[in-house]
Amino acid sequence: MKKTINYMTTSAILIAIVCVLGGISIPIGPVSITLATLGVYLVGCLVKPKYALTIIACYIVLGALGLPVFSNWTGGIAKLIGPTGGYILGYLICVLVQSIIITKFKNKLWVYFIATIIGTIFIYLFGTLYFMVSTNNFNVGPVLMITMVPFLPLDTIKIIVAPLVSFKLRKILDKQLGEVEVKNINKEVKISKN
């Protein structure tokens, strides 16, 4: 019961963080520079896949219901079916892939960076393809200048910051949520016997 309450509390806090970061953005054209991806990266780094996916799904549902949690403090289903909706839906793929990789190798900091980069590729891929289909513009070069190139500098910073912030925090959260590895518990038992 305590573990369930801890997970619910952690999930609620992470949803709130993504909602706040999601609204902070700089409009530079059809696609805004937003801090939502930083929130997504943090979620993918901090919790197991099923919880990460649930947290981002809740964020998307809240936005679809009209809460102003998407870029530029907007909300509504129109944002999801519009040209930039693919990026928001891409958060689900990103966080799932990122969390699966990190959960398997959570004691290696470099894995956090690699997983976050791979997750970002899925956001760009899904978002750009969705943008091309919804705008009926299949000129790859010009589309990438709108949908990817302007975001690379800030996304690079986010890819560095999220793993650095999350690496030690993941260990604290795992302990709080009762996700300590069995081999670590066995080591502690052996030490206490000696």
Side-chain angles (χ1 to χ4, degrees):
M1 183 68 173
K2 184 183 177 186
K3 187 174 176 179
T4 304
I5 292 168
N6 286 345
Y7 260 112
M8 288 172 64
T9 305
T10 301
S11 297
I13 291 167
L14 289 173
I15 291 167
I17 288 169
V18 178
C19 287
V20 170
L21 291 174
I24 302 169
S25 52
I26 305 164
I28 59 166
V31 186
S32 295
I33 294 175
T34 176
L35 290 183
T37 44
L38 177 60
V40 172
Y41 297 156
L42 289 170
V43 170
C45 286
L46 290 172
V47 292
K48 289 166 42 173
K50 67 178 179 180
Y51 296 106
L53 198 59
T54 302
I55 289 164
I56 299 305
C58 286
Y59 161 72
I60 292 171
V61 168
L62 289 171
L65 291 173
L67 269 69
V69 296
F70 295 147
S71 62
N72 305 311
W73 305 108
T74 58
I77 199 75
K79 193 78 174 176
L80 289 177
I81 59 175
T84 60
Y87 294 96
I88 298 168
L89 297 173
Y91 295 165
L92 292 167
I93 303 165
C94 168
V95 80
L96 182 61
V97 170
Q98 185 190 9
S99 182
I100 288 170
I101 296 168
I102 289 171
T103 299
K104 286 189 178 183
F105 306 100
K106 59 185 169 186
N107 294 322
K108 300 181 187 318
L109 178 57
W110 63 270
V111 171
Y112 285 65
F113 293 107
I114 299 298
T116 307
I117 291 167
I118 292 169
T120 304
I121 290 168
F122 278 103
I123 292 175
Y124 280 139
L125 182 65
F126 197 78
T128 301
L129 289 174
Y130 193 97
F131 183 87
M132 291 170 83
V133 170
S134 65
T135 59
N136 201 28
N137 181 354
F138 298 96
N139 295 323
V140 176
V143 167
L144 290 178
M145 291 303 294
I146 295 169
T147 62
M148 193 174 89
V149 174
F151 307 96
L152 290 174
L154 185 57
D155 280 349
T156 302
I157 294 169
K158 290 184 270 187
I159 288 167
I160 293 167
V161 169
L164 289 175
V165 168
S166 304
F167 184 64
K168 295 233 180 200
L169 193 54
R170 173 79 187 234
K171 292 177 183 178
I172 296 166
L173 265 180
D174 279 354
K175 199 174 263 189
Q176 184 69 30
L177 299 171
E179 297 294 342
V180 180
E181 291 182 33
V182 175
K183 59 184 176 184
N184 289 343
I185 292 170
N186 290 339
K187 281 180 188 174
E188 286 173 18
V189 170
K190 284 178 185 175
I191 290 166
S192 63
K193 281 183 180 177
N194 294 334

